[in-house]
Structure formats: C-alpha cells, structure tokens
Amino acid sequence: MTKTKQGGKKTSQASRDISNKLLANNRFARHQYEIFEILETGIQLLGTEVKSIRLGKSNLRDGFCLIRNGEIQLHNVHISPHTHASNYFNHDPLRVRKLLAHKKEIDKLRIALDKKGLTLIPLTLYLKGSWIKLTIGLGKGRKLHDKRQEERRKQDEKDMRSALSRTY
C-alpha cells in the first residue's frame, strides 16, 4: 500500500500566499474611478526603494501613469527614503519610475487613453516571488452621483446577503 500526502495542496497554496504578499493597496482609486481593465506590470526601482517597499513604506494614493516615448511612467507615488541608508545613497521619494510592460500592451493602452479619455491609475503593489509588481487600472473618473449609486448598490447587496443568511 502506498500512502499519499493529504496536505500537499495546502503547503503549495500556503507558499503561494507567502510569495504573493500585498505591499500597498490603493482602495481610494476603486472609489474614485470605475476600473475597466487591469494590467500587471513590473517596476524599475533602486535598491533603497526596494528595501522601503518591503517594509511597507509606500503610498499609491495620489499616483497616476502617463505614456511617454513608448514607455509607461509612474508619477506621484511616494516611496519613503530608507532609514538605514545615508542621504547620499538614498532615493528621491517622488521620482518618476518606469513601468515594464510589453510593447503591444502599451500600444493598446495608448489607443484607449487617446480615444476614450480614460486614465491609468496604480492599484496594488505586491511581491510575486522575489519580484515587485504593480497592477495598473484603466479607468474613468466617477461623478458624485455615480459614487452614491455604487454605494447604494453595495449596501443593497450586503442587506440581501444578511437577509438570506438569517432565513437559513
């Protein structure tokens, strides 16, 4: 008789969860914008920026992306200077960072930005294995009445779920 491991999937799932660690989240963007498409990109960083991001010292709230010279650039994302490095070796907290994506993806985004008047917003910053990845969303800004309508819809769904759970 051969014995099989029962917990094989759990350990691989647990290792995947550890390797995909969320470092920063832009919840405000999901409220301010209606997101149509999401793209995972790499990000070009300096050594002290990597150390600060791994410590959770980054803020995506005011960030936005532009496409210039066939490259996606990340603007206005604050990554705090590393505390254990001197000022000479440290980075500028608000410097423009290059995002890494395939040329076809960049061209597709540029066409959508030009035609429909949409914007690129950074959504999440996370570890994928040893790489730091950034998801950007192609979205359109919500008006005040759209935000209220979305809030109402979410509240109605929440009420329905709670009512259904009480009946059983």
Side-chain angles (χ1 to χ4, degrees):
M1 267 172 73
T2 59
K3 291 184 179 179
T4 60
K5 286 187 178 179
Q6 296 289 328
K9 281 194 172 185
K10 279 187 185 177
T11 56
S12 64
Q13 180 65 32
S15 65
R16 254 186 268 128
D17 290 343
I18 291 169
S19 67
N20 292 339
K21 181 182 174 192
L22 184 66
L23 300 170
N25 193 3
N26 192 356
R27 292 182 302 172
F28 187 67
R30 302 237 184 231
H31 178 70
Q32 288 292 101
Y33 297 93
E34 184 178 350
I35 308 297
F36 298 118
E37 189 176 334
I38 294 175
L39 176 68
E40 179 186 71
T41 61
I43 182 168
Q44 190 174 14
L45 297 169
L46 300 174
T48 54
E49 289 175 327
V50 172
K51 290 177 182 181
S52 292
I53 289 173
R54 284 179 178 259
L55 292 173
K57 306 279 185 176
S58 58
N59 185 359
L60 300 174
R61 186 174 179 133
D62 298 328
F64 62 95
C65 299
L66 296 175
I67 298 178
R68 296 228 172 109
N69 301 328
E71 298 176 346
I72 305 175
Q73 295 178 343
L74 181 64
H75 292 266
N76 220 21
V77 169
H78 188 276
I79 299 174
S80 298
H82 189 55
T83 56
H84 299 299
S86 68
N87 287 337
Y88 180 75
F89 291 109
N90 239 329
H91 61 274
D92 178 28
L94 289 173
R95 79 176 184 92
V96 176
R97 294 166 182 92
K98 181 180 172 183
L99 297 182
L100 310 171
H102 291 286
K103 190 168 178 67
K104 287 181 182 179
E105 294 171 335
I106 295 172
D107 291 339
K108 183 178 162 185
L109 288 175
R110 183 186 306 122
I111 290 168
L113 290 172
D114 291 342
K115 282 187 177 178
K116 301 176 187 170
L118 303 174
T119 57
L120 286 173
I121 311 110
L123 299 175
T124 57
L125 191 64
Y126 59 95
L127 277 175
K128 186 174 186 181
S130 63
W131 300 99
I132 294 178
K133 298 287 187 174
L134 178 78
T135 56
I136 56 175
L138 185 67
K140 186 174 188 176
R142 285 191 178 141
K143 305 281 189 239
L144 183 61
H145 62 85
D146 292 337
K147 292 178 197 173
R148 288 180 183 155
Q149 191 175 28
E150 183 68 18
E151 231 173 82
R152 230 180 273 121
R153 185 187 65 79
K154 285 182 182 177
Q155 186 62 39
D156 290 344
E157 285 179 3
K158 186 178 174 184
D159 292 343
M160 282 186 351
R161 275 190 304 235
S162 67
L164 287 173
S165 66
R166 280 192 301 252
T167 58
Y168 292 112

